[in-house]
């Protein structure tokens, strides 16, 4: 069904549910510029590979990369975890593997959001078996109250409450990824 792009509206109605603005495009871009600067500085003597976790991270990955001012490479994993709704299935499946040879390379995993931590833990374990030189994780959003797995997140855009969010890559039943800001389910 084709509805118009809903970016920057005051609210987004999905059936009986209402989403309200949480992080504006300006706030997001400002924070990404800071993250890009910090990561560029830390990796300036290395040639890191940024590894985006699809689908959710595509927009963050794109904007982050524009703020990286050192040489780097890019690759993607595709995971499927959430099914189509708001609650995680608790299972993660690898849908697309990396193309790059990551042995002895410096890796930066790029996530849209860390919720329970299951996806990141799954990716970390898969990657460690290939013996990279180093591995760090950057996520735009982290829900600290929601973490169930022990994971180390090295760069965090924003810590947010344990509430469902959409926009800027994040979906609800595969929709709303194209919004340029982030909305939260209001209660
Ligand atoms: P985790 O494996 O529980 O940490 O969940 C990570 C993945 O679930 C993210 O990469 C997202 O794709 C998805 N996810 C978690 N929380 C949300 C949310 O609030 N909105 C949309 N997707 C989410
Ligand atoms: Mg994701």
């Amino acid at each position: 069904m084709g509805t118009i792009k809903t970016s920057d509206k005051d609210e987004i109605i999905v059936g009986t549910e209402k989403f309200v603005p949480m992080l504006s495009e300006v706030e997001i871009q400002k924070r990404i510029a800071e993250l890009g600067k910090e990561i560029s500085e830390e990796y300036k003597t290395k040639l890191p590979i940024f590894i985006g976790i699809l689908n959710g991270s595509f927009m963050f990955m794109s904007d982050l990369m524009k703020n990286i001012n050192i040489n780097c490479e890019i690759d993607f994993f595709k995971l499927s975890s959430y099914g189509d709704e708001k609650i995680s299935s608790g299972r993660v499946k690898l849908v697309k593997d990396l193309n790059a040879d990551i042995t002895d390379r410096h890796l930066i995993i790029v996530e849209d959001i860390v919720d329970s931590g299951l996806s990141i833990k799954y990716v970390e374990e898969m990657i460690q078996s290939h013996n990279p030189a180093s591995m760090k994780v950057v996520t735009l959003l982290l829900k600290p109250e929601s973490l169930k797995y022990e994971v180390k997140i090295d760069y965090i855009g924003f810590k947010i409450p344990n509430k469902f969010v959409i926009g800027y890559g994040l979906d609800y039943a595969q929709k709303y990824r194209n919004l340029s800001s982030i909305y939260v389910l209001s209660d």
Side-chain angles (χ1 to χ4, degrees), residues 44-155:
K44 66 184 174 197
T45 62
K46 303 189 176 92
L47 178 64
I49 310 179
F50 286 83
I51 299 177
I53 314 291
L54 295 172
N55 289 334
S57 74
F58 78 97
M59 213 178 265
F60 175 44
M61 179 83 161
S62 166
D63 286 335
L64 179 65
M65 297 320 299
K66 288 179 246 173
N67 286 278
I68 298 295
N69 58 18
I70 57 166
N71 274 328
C72 61
E73 297 174 23
I74 294 172
D75 203 349
F76 291 96
F77 267 122
K78 186 170 162 82
L79 298 183
S80 98
S81 60
Y82 256 56
D84 262 355
E85 293 302 330
K86 295 200 297 280
I87 298 163
S88 171
S89 62
R91 289 184 304 268
V92 178
K93 207 175 82 188
L94 183 65
V95 183
K96 182 214 164 288
D97 207 342
L98 297 174
N99 295 102
D101 181 1
I102 56 173
T103 303
D104 293 330
R105 298 297 305 269
H106 294 283
L107 310 178
I108 302 166
I109 314 298
V110 182
E111 253 291 31
D112 49 354
I113 185 166
V114 176
D115 183 13
S116 71
L118 176 65
S119 306
I120 280 296
K121 200 173 160 54
Y122 177 88
V123 166
E124 278 183 352
E125 282 173 5
M126 220 166 21
I127 280 177
Q128 287 300 1
S129 68
H130 292 274
N131 297 312
S134 72
M135 183 179 65
K136 287 198 174 186
V137 178
V138 52
T139 186
L140 180 65
L141 306 175
L142 171 73
K143 297 179 185 171
E145 297 152 27
S146 184
L147 276 174
K148 290 201 197 82
Y149 298 85
E150 217 174 287
V151 286
K152 184 172 164 285
I153 312 296
D154 301 279
Y155 308 97

